[in-house]
Amino acid sequence: MSTTSSAIESVLVENRVFPPSADFAAKARISGMAQYQALCDEAERDYEGYWARLARENVVWTKPFTQVLDQSNPPFYKWFADGELNASANCLDKHMGTPVENKTAIIFEADGGEVTKVSYKELLARVSQFANALKARGVKKGDRVLIYMPMTIEGVVAMQACARIGATHSVVFGGFSAKAVQERIVDVGASLVITSNYQMRGGKELPLKAIVDDALALGGCEAVKTVLVYERTATACNMVAGRDITFTEALAGQSTECAPEAVNAEHPLFILYTSGSTGKPKGVQHATGGYVLWARQTFEWTFDLKDSDVFWCTADIGWITGHSYVAYGPLAAGATQIVFEGVPTFPNAGRFWQMIERHKCSVFYTAPTAIRSLIKAADSDSGVHPKNWDLSSLRVLGSVGEPINPEAWMWYYKNVGGERCPIVDTFWQTENGGHMITPLPGATPLVPGSCTLPLPGITAAIVDESGNDMPNGAGGILVVKKPWPSMIRNIWGDPERFKKSYFPEELKGYYLAGDGAVRSEDRGYFRITGRIDDVLNVSGHRMGTMEIESALVAKTDLVAEAAVVGRPDDLTGEAICAFVVLKRGKPTGEEAKQIANELRNWVAKEIGPIAKPKDIRFGDNLPKTRSGKIMRRLLRSLAKGEAITQDTSTLENPAILDQLAETN
Ligand code: 6R9
């Protein structure tokens, strides 16, 4: 790189191109664009044949499939539907008797810095023993198990154990509230909950089991017969006799061998809740065969994985990234990975860099929000700047969860990757199962801020509102034209909503991603421009505006009406901005501040702290059309602090705009 650093930092839109080094490309799994193109051509020539080949190469089938794609009932597509497999056997058993058996599967670093390592062989024994404990509590194939666990080896073991016996897991992120846990228990029909007494984050011991107790007390959870409690810390927690049992008790006397239960390829491996445009979170249902295939294949391709790599994905198992690139992909590929319990800023904001040095991490995968907050920390305290650590083990860097702005990309490239490591900006969604649009580090010339090109076989395109292709340079709606193996199969219990949300008729049956995107005129590279629905992306976490609105209006003693919009935020990508009408009228001064805080805490209790609005503004009313529809585009402008230039002639109450423009 010949450019000076001041030039690097000053560019807002980055046009430079960073091709892989010849040395990197020479050793890569997919080496050069010609090899990428050859795979794309193969998929185009014989779509089913391509996927069948990958499914045979990447997955161990106990019963080989003879059908590939079943399109008889769109959009309820089936893949490899007469095949049988077990996901856990594909992650563990298959490595036994190979050199991977004694390889470290997980390097666990606890919040306080203690390190525990577990080999593939040991992990198999622990998963098997846990699977037997689940069976002893009556869990069987097809049952749903809710997992509410911190980032620990035990969290991964719990997921794998469910997969082993054919139980469908539903992991809920440890930051969600009791109410959110209860709603998911009820919706998914869980018969058993796996949790931990406490979790350790930033040196603090935070309760988890107590939240499960509160969730179960909210009612509707009668199907839950057992709560398994991991003793993460020595502190006691409330245990309900006959229902609650510690891991130690549950595992005692259980064999460390458990034959994996073969399931049909379409058997639901997991259900993961995510936010949509309407109030209720959607239970995204994934099938076993296609998911295992793509989790492994994308892991190996996107990160160009080598046997000697030490991979680290910082995502929590409560999100899809933690499913595909912690719990399944790395294990199916026989990789060594780091699992981290804590937070990037404890004991200080150098924690990530310190851990990369300590464990000789070679592939590092994190979110733009984390990078931006660490840039800020390093700017104000040079002691936590990555230059203080030896990061020479790094080979590949990854980004996920939201668009990465070119400045953050350049900082990551220069200060973390030493201008040596390609950055893979991976675009995908909970519903996709694995990477969709991403550079391949040994092939794709990188452009900062662009997720570049679809993986071979992924028919991503940009269309207008009638599903017609848009030319490069013109923005539009991101769709995927053909079904792919790891796609969402259903919204749990709501097939109508599945059809309506993802396959609207006017889009010719294409999968609707919910994001806007544009392709560059020169290379046809994709750049994601953000959600086109009522979903916000705050620090890489998906939040439905309606979900937050429902939580606010549920505070019936105070709130008459609420509307939530997003506004751009330097650190978190988007910030939540709530416009609230109180029953008692518009508060001012101290009272307004105090009520805003009360409402923030209320939302944290209803959904979780990640949903707390950053701004809360009060008014006597909301801007509405004469037919009573809230004009959100005006609210978005107000939230940004912009002058209103849009047409307000259809507004019933234009005077309200001045009132809502005031911040508290
Ligand atoms: C994996 C994950 C999905 C939404 C998605 C989009 C945004 C994710 C991105 C990205 C730009 C990237 N998103 N990766 N936007 N560039 N590399 O994050 O899943 O939690 O379901 O969120 O996140 O808006 O629609 P999920």
Side-chain angles (χ1 to χ4, degrees), residues 288-448:
T288 307
Y291 176 81
V292 169
L293 153 63
W294 204 228
R296 175 178 173 193
Q297 182 67 89
T298 53
F299 175 72
E300 293 183 356
W301 275 351
T302 306
F303 302 115
D304 183 45
L305 217 81
K306 311 274 185 240
D307 285 347
S308 54
D309 272 322
V310 176
F311 175 77
W312 183 14
C313 166
T314 65
D316 193 281
I317 50 167
W319 309 113
I320 190 69
T321 307
H323 279 58
S324 303
Y325 304 107
V326 177
Y328 289 103
L331 298 178
T336 295
Q337 70 171 321
I338 298 166
V339 170
F340 176 43
E341 178 181 43
V343 296
T345 47
F346 177 79
N348 60 52
R351 182 69 180 266
F352 276 2
W353 324 130
Q354 184 212 340
M355 282 182 62
I356 290 170
E357 177 185 279
R358 182 180 194 188
H359 301 297
K360 301 207 166 23
C361 170
S362 58
V363 182
F364 180 63
Y365 189 35
T366 196
T369 286
I371 298 165
R372 287 193 296 264
S373 73
L374 297 178
I375 295 175
K376 203 171 153 199
D379 280 350
S380 62
D381 172 7
S382 63
V384 297
H385 192 282
K387 70 182 175 206
N388 299 300
W389 286 273
D390 175 7
L391 306 182
S392 60
S393 55
L394 287 171
R395 258 182 4 95
V396 178
L397 300 175
S399 173
V400 61
E402 50 181 320
I404 179 164
N405 46 312
E407 300 97 306
W409 195 103
M410 286 309 306
W411 188 91
Y412 195 28
Y413 184 74
K414 189 174 161 232
N415 297 294
V416 182
E419 298 180 39
R420 179 185 74 244
C421 306
I423 298 178
V424 287
D425 175 4
T426 60
F427 169 84
W428 61 297
Q429 312 172 289
T430 304
E431 294 87 343
N432 303 153
H435 300 153
M436 299 293 279
I437 310 180
T438 176
L440 291 163
T444 319
L446 306 171
V447 171

Side-chain angles (χ1 to χ4, degrees), residues 442-524:
T444 319
L446 306 171
V447 171
S450 165
C451 52
T452 73
L453 296 168
L455 285 170
I458 300 300
T459 52
I462 299 176
V463 299
D464 66 12
E465 272 151 24
S466 317
N468 303 311
D469 285 305
M470 296 299 283
N472 289 354
I477 301 170
L478 181 67
V479 296
V480 185
K481 290 189 170 176
K482 291 187 196 171
W484 69 101
S486 66
M487 70 193 294
I488 176 177
R489 293 303 194 271
N490 206 342
I491 292 177
W492 182 254
D494 202 345
E496 274 313 306
R497 190 173 173 202
F498 168 71
K499 278 203 265 190
K500 275 220 311 257
S501 310
Y502 300 112
F503 300 91
E505 261 162 45
E506 59 278 14
L507 289 183
K508 306 182 175 172
Y510 299 160
Y511 166 81
L512 171 70
D515 284 284
V518 58
R519 300 186 74 160
S520 67
E521 298 198 53
D522 50 349
R523 296 170 179 270

Side-chain angles (χ1 to χ4, degrees), residues 494-565:
D494 202 345
E496 274 313 306
R497 190 173 173 202
F498 168 71
K499 278 203 265 190
K500 275 220 311 257
S501 310
Y502 300 112
F503 300 91
E505 261 162 45
E506 59 278 14
L507 289 183
K508 306 182 175 172
Y510 299 160
Y511 166 81
L512 171 70
D515 284 284
V518 58
R519 300 186 74 160
S520 67
E521 298 198 53
D522 50 349
R523 296 170 179 270
Y525 277 8
F526 286 73
R527 188 165 57 80
I528 306 298
T529 51
R531 300 286 306 192
I532 51 170
D533 52 13
D534 293 324
V535 173
L536 304 182
N537 192 327
V538 182
S539 298
H541 300 321
R542 267 169 76 166
M543 306 290 334
T545 51
M546 302 262 285
E547 217 175 318
I548 306 167
E549 285 167 14
S550 313
L552 284 167
V553 296
K555 183 105 183 90
T556 47
D557 55 331
L558 269 180
V559 178
E561 210 176 2
V564 169
V565 297

